[in-house]
Amino acid sequence: MDIHKQFFKSAFSVDSVIFGYDQGDLKVLLIYRGAKPYIGTWALPGDLVKLDEDLDDSARRILFDLTGLSNVFMDQIHTFGKVDRHPLGRVITVAYFSLVKIIDYKLNPSSWAKEAKWHSIVNTPNLPFDHTEILNYAKNKLKERVRHQPIGFELLPKEFTLSDIQNLYESVLEINLDKRNFRKKLLAMSLLIDTGYFQISVAHRPARLYRFDKKKYKSLIQQGFSFEL
Amino acid sequence: MDIHKQFFKSAFSVDSVIFGYDQGDLKVLLIYRGAKPYIGTWALPGDLVKLDEDLDDSARRILFDLTGLSNVFMDQIHTFGKVDRHPLGRVITVAYFSLVKIIDYKLNPSSWAKEAKWHSIVNTPNLPFDHTEILNYAKNKLKERVRHQPIGFELLPKEFTLSDIQNLYESVLEINLDKRNFRKKLLAMSLLIDTGYFQISVAHRPARLYRFDKKKYKSLIQQGFSFEL
DNA sequence: ATTATTTATTGTATTTATTACACGAATCCA
DNA sequence: TGGATTCGTGTAATAAATACAATAAATAAT
């Protein structure tokens, strides 16, 4: 039980599953590893946690270094700790997932990545370490969360159409939804603000643009409201 | 990025929130610490993860050392990693929760605990480290899980009455439930097996005893069934 | 200019699920 | 034998989920 016994033999890292949504497709941001081990493969972005850095800050740092984004939705998923998951030592990793609006994002691959690229979730390459397991875990968590919390909006631009949000739900959940019923349910929550504006330059009837009302959501939550889609 | 840089300065541990249920009360198993730091206080059982031990195995070991129980429901909750959460070094901890049938349990406090005792959840002592935060987190997780997975049965003896399971739900969720509606919903899932037996030696009309049908649950799950109470 | 193409918007009837609610039955104990 | 206690049960009213199709508004093609 002497806590010092183990201090020189192990480490912990953070890995981030960064989701984006674009052109009707759910995407994940992968880096092309420029460092050992598994140099030259696509992988989840991650890094060792610094000694003077809170775990959550570490996840934020990784996201910021890679995308320049802060103030992004982020949540811890799970911690992966099989003995042999890392070839160079005993490293457990805490997985996080983030939801970013791709439109806001600027590529800024950091030292350990030669390149960073969005990959469609339906067609991701094989990943090193236990990253495939982590990614699947993240996809399932996202499915659960999106039904119980209004986090889908984090993936869309500030103004969006009802079809946008429905398509997003269909991509994430991998199901089809009835248009009229989906709208009825969503609008009944009164969490969308009608901007009064419409799409422009589309080759069909333009759709109304809405914004998500975060303030209202927070106040409803205080009153025991629970989001469900 | 050199993974060896950090290997001598940090460690990771597992802490377990072990829930039990007895006489209408939800309980948590705490140990009276016999080792530094925080010697002489009630705390969550936990230990450093051994280098040759998977994270989940570590949680199982802690539970087994303390209670002699294995094959118990157990799930990871969250990882806590504030820089200063441990006074002797940088230690992140992965929290697990377990559900045990108190009746099965035999006390077997291990080396680091002078004593282990069930504490009613409504009246727990102040806990060291960030254990109060962990316990609250675990209580909330339990509330969520119990509504979406049939894990309440893990806290009851193999045979139980409908009132037992209702009382358990009321304790965990901290709400009151309507007797007729609760039974209707529960029985409609056809997941309970009527044993044909009744309570004996109770000073009132004896209740039917049921068992939870784990096999049926698993097969229903395959078919897309989703548990909800 | 007319027509074709595409996507947006809207309501109702049916089915299913949730809620609210009260009294006789079975056992032990005094 | 009467009192105390918990068990077991059904129905009516309300709310939520589902299934379903025709018209509107824009651009593109002719």
Side-chain angles (χ1 to χ4, degrees), chain B residues 18-74:
Chain B
I18 301 170
F19 287 112
Y21 179 76
D22 194 26
Q23 335 221 206
D25 243 6
L26 186 64
K27 312 219 156 164
V28 60
L29 189 58
L30 301 177
I31 56 149
Y32 194 74
R33 285 181 66 87
K36 285 188 198 177
Y38 298 112
I39 193 167
T41 64
W42 291 103
L44 295 175
D47 196 8
L48 292 177
V49 176
K50 300 199 185 303
L51 288 179
D52 59 351
E53 174 183 63
D54 288 351
L55 204 49
D56 291 349
D57 289 338
S58 184
R60 273 188 280 271
R61 170 174 57 84
I62 287 162
L63 182 74
F64 183 79
D65 285 353
L66 197 59
T67 66
L69 296 177
S70 49
N71 284 110
V72 157
F73 176 87
M74 175 175 276

Side-chain angles (χ1 to χ4, degrees), chain B residues 7-156:
Chain B
F7 265 10
F8 53 102
K9 294 175 183 166
S10 63
F12 40 90
S13 64
V14 161
D15 285 308
S16 274
V17 180
I18 301 170
F19 287 112
Y21 179 76
D22 194 26
Q23 335 221 206
D25 243 6
L26 186 64
K27 312 219 156 164
V28 60
L29 189 58
L30 301 177
I31 56 149
Y32 194 74
R33 285 181 66 87
K36 285 188 198 177
Y38 298 112
I39 193 167
T41 64
W42 291 103
L44 295 175
D47 196 8
L48 292 177
V49 176
K50 300 199 185 303
L51 288 179
D52 59 351
E53 174 183 63
D54 288 351
L55 204 49
D56 291 349
D57 289 338
S58 184
R60 273 188 280 271
R61 170 174 57 84
I62 287 162
L63 182 74
F64 183 79
D65 285 353
L66 197 59
T67 66
L69 296 177
S70 49
N71 284 110
V72 157
F73 176 87
M74 175 175 276
D75 210 355
Q76 197 189 104
I77 304 171
H78 193 77
T79 297
F80 295 81
K82 290 235 172 76
V83 168
D84 60 358
R85 61 169 297 283
H86 196 295
L88 299 187
R90 181 66 198 279
V91 185
I92 68 169
T93 195
V94 186
Y96 283 75
F97 81 101
S98 305
L99 304 180
V100 316
K101 307 181 204 297
I102 288 191
I103 204 137
D104 291 352
Y105 148 89
K106 278 182 188 163
L107 196 70
N108 178 29
S110 60
S111 53
W112 26 266
K114 278 189 180 150
E115 198 185 344
K117 205 157 95 181
W118 290 106
H119 293 249
S120 170
I121 202 78
V122 296
N123 189 19
T124 47
N126 287 329
L127 301 177
F129 306 101
D130 48 5
H131 284 187
T132 298
E133 187 187 355
I134 295 175
L135 177 56
N136 286 329
Y137 210 100
K139 276 158 59 179
N140 287 327
K141 267 285 199 273
L142 178 58
K143 279 188 196 183
E144 286 169 24
R145 292 276 170 95
V146 87
R147 300 198 50 241
H148 302 292
Q149 280 182 263
I151 60 175
F153 305 104
E154 305 290 341
L155 289 162
L156 293 176

Side-chain angles (χ1 to χ4, degrees), chain A residues 66-132:
Chain A
L66 197 61
T67 65
L69 296 177
S70 48
N71 285 109
V72 157
F73 176 88
M74 174 174 276
D75 209 354
Q76 197 189 104
I77 305 170
H78 192 78
T79 298
F80 295 81
K82 291 235 171 77
V83 168
D84 59 359
R85 62 169 296 283
H86 195 297
L88 299 187
R90 181 67 198 277
V91 185
I92 68 169
T93 196
V94 186
Y96 282 75
F97 81 102
S98 305
L99 304 180
V100 316
K101 306 180 204 297
I102 287 190
I103 204 138
D104 291 352
Y105 150 88
K106 279 180 187 162
L107 197 71
N108 177 31
S110 61
S111 53
W112 25 266
K114 279 190 179 148
E115 198 186 346
K117 204 155 96 181
W118 290 107
H119 293 249
S120 171
I121 202 76
V122 296
N123 189 20
T124 46
N126 287 330
L127 301 177
F129 305 102
D130 48 5
H131 285 187
T132 298

Side-chain angles (χ1 to χ4, degrees), chain A residues 37-180:
Chain A
Y38 298 112
I39 194 165
T41 64
W42 291 102
L44 295 175
D47 195 10
L48 292 178
V49 176
K50 299 199 184 304
L51 287 180
D52 59 351
E53 177 183 60
D54 287 350
L55 205 49
D56 291 350
D57 289 336
S58 185
R60 273 188 281 272
R61 170 173 60 83
I62 288 162
L63 182 73
F64 183 80
D65 286 353
L66 197 61
T67 65
L69 296 177
S70 48
N71 285 109
V72 157
F73 176 88
M74 174 174 276
D75 209 354
Q76 197 189 104
I77 305 170
H78 192 78
T79 298
F80 295 81
K82 291 235 171 77
V83 168
D84 59 359
R85 62 169 296 283
H86 195 297
L88 299 187
R90 181 67 198 277
V91 185
I92 68 169
T93 196
V94 186
Y96 282 75
F97 81 102
S98 305
L99 304 180
V100 316
K101 306 180 204 297
I102 287 190
I103 204 138
D104 291 352
Y105 150 88
K106 279 180 187 162
L107 197 71
N108 177 31
S110 61
S111 53
W112 25 266
K114 279 190 179 148
E115 198 186 346
K117 204 155 96 181
W118 290 107
H119 293 249
S120 171
I121 202 76
V122 296
N123 189 20
T124 46
N126 287 330
L127 301 177
F129 305 102
D130 48 5
H131 285 187
T132 298
E133 187 186 354
I134 295 177
L135 178 57
N136 285 329
Y137 210 100
K139 277 158 58 180
N140 287 327
K141 267 283 201 275
L142 178 59
K143 279 189 196 184
E144 285 169 25
R145 292 275 171 93
V146 88
R147 299 198 51 240
H148 302 293
Q149 278 181 264
I151 59 176
F153 305 104
E154 305 290 341
L155 289 163
L156 293 176
K158 278 197 198 73
E159 305 196 343
F160 50 84
T161 69
L162 295 178
S163 292
D164 287 341
I165 185 73
Q166 181 177 346
N167 290 335
L168 185 149
Y169 269 79
E170 290 179 332
S171 300
V172 169
L173 298 173
E174 301 176 285
I175 54 173
N176 292 320
L177 296 166
D178 179 88
K179 201 194 246 195
R180 282 182 280 195

